[in-house]
Amino acid sequence: MKRILEIGGILAGAVLIAFGAVAIYMGVDGRSTVRDSIKQEQIVFGAADDPAVAKHASQWAEEQVTTGTQARAFAEIMREHALESSGGLVYAEMGRFLAADDPQSPAGTSDEAAALKDEEGNPVPNRARDTWVTATALSTALNMSYMAEQLSIFGIVVGVALLLSGIGFMVLALGGAVGVREWALLRRKGTRETPTVTA
């Protein structure tokens, strides 16, 4: 029975070490993939005199976006710019079309009868609303990059924890096995001295 427990502890430790190594590899690979994908987009922060850049990414002004954290900051900048173009209105507060009575207002209208018409009599789309949709789509992609990078870091941390746990299991299993063997040898020699076990 003791032999079975000893083997079980060693196997459990080996499995945890293997899982830990795989988790670390996947985390590092995932982080590298995210950063390579971000670099391919050639996104560059604006100048520091831009209020949105000064607020969210002053330390990266005019630098290329290369990390998940920077991607998140750029998404915040895009939101600020979208709010500026929409007069502080979000998607749900803007109509699909420009209003005939106030074409300059980004609030617009969703009523086709009250919408401004083009030369063919079709309602004119609300460009501020379309800009908001585009900005939201791009900022969501950037935020996903940030989340993916954070998940990869979490995977690395979990991998290290599994690796250390596996090593601990093996040390305990092997240490216990050594202690049992020393105790058996001492009993055969007829001594009651308790051996000192060092891990």
Side-chain angles (χ1 to χ4, degrees):
M1 186 62 184
K2 292 179 180 178
R3 183 64 176 170
I4 293 173
L5 292 175
E6 173 190 333
I7 294 172
I10 294 172
L11 289 176
V15 169
L16 287 173
I17 289 173
F19 280 1
V22 170
I24 292 172
Y25 170 79
M26 291 178 67
V28 171
D29 183 60
R31 182 172 179 269
S32 176
T33 300
V34 169
R35 294 195 168 189
D36 289 343
S37 298
I38 293 173
K39 288 178 184 177
Q40 288 176 0
E41 299 305 317
Q42 299 293 317
I43 304 169
V44 179
F45 286 104
D49 57 359
D50 183 332
V53 174
K55 180 179 178 181
H56 299 288
S58 59
Q59 70 272 37
W60 300 311
E62 299 185 34
E63 292 183 12
Q64 184 179 354
V65 177
T66 58
T67 68
T69 302
Q70 290 177 328
R72 185 186 185 196
F74 198 88
E76 293 293 335
I77 293 170
M78 289 183 66
R79 180 177 174 82
E80 293 276 349
H81 289 166
L83 285 170
E84 288 175 10
S85 67
S86 67
L89 300 176
V90 296
Y91 176 83
E93 297 174 314
M94 291 183 281
R96 295 165 54 203
F97 315 111
L98 292 179
D101 59 350
D102 189 5
Q104 300 303 319
S105 173
T109 179
S110 293
D111 183 3
E112 292 190 23
L116 180 69
K117 305 296 192 301
D118 60 18
E119 295 177 354
E120 298 179 355
N122 299 315
V124 178
N126 187 348
R127 292 182 180 177
R129 189 173 189 258
D130 295 340
T131 299
W132 182 268
V133 171
T134 302
T136 300
L138 294 174
S139 62
T140 299
L142 291 170
N143 283 322
M144 287 292 290
S145 297
Y146 170 76
M147 184 180 72
E149 186 174 89
Q150 294 302 305
L151 287 173
S152 66
I153 293 173
F154 176 73
I156 294 171
V157 172
V158 170
V160 171
L162 289 172
L163 200 64
L164 293 176
S165 298
I167 293 172
F169 263 99
M170 294 191 77
V171 168
L172 289 174
L174 293 173
V178 171
V180 169
R181 291 193 189 99
E182 287 186 1
W183 180 256
L185 288 174
L186 288 173
R187 289 192 63 184
R188 288 175 187 169
K189 292 179 180 179
T191 178
R192 295 183 180 179
E193 180 183 354
T194 303
T196 301
V197 180
T198 57

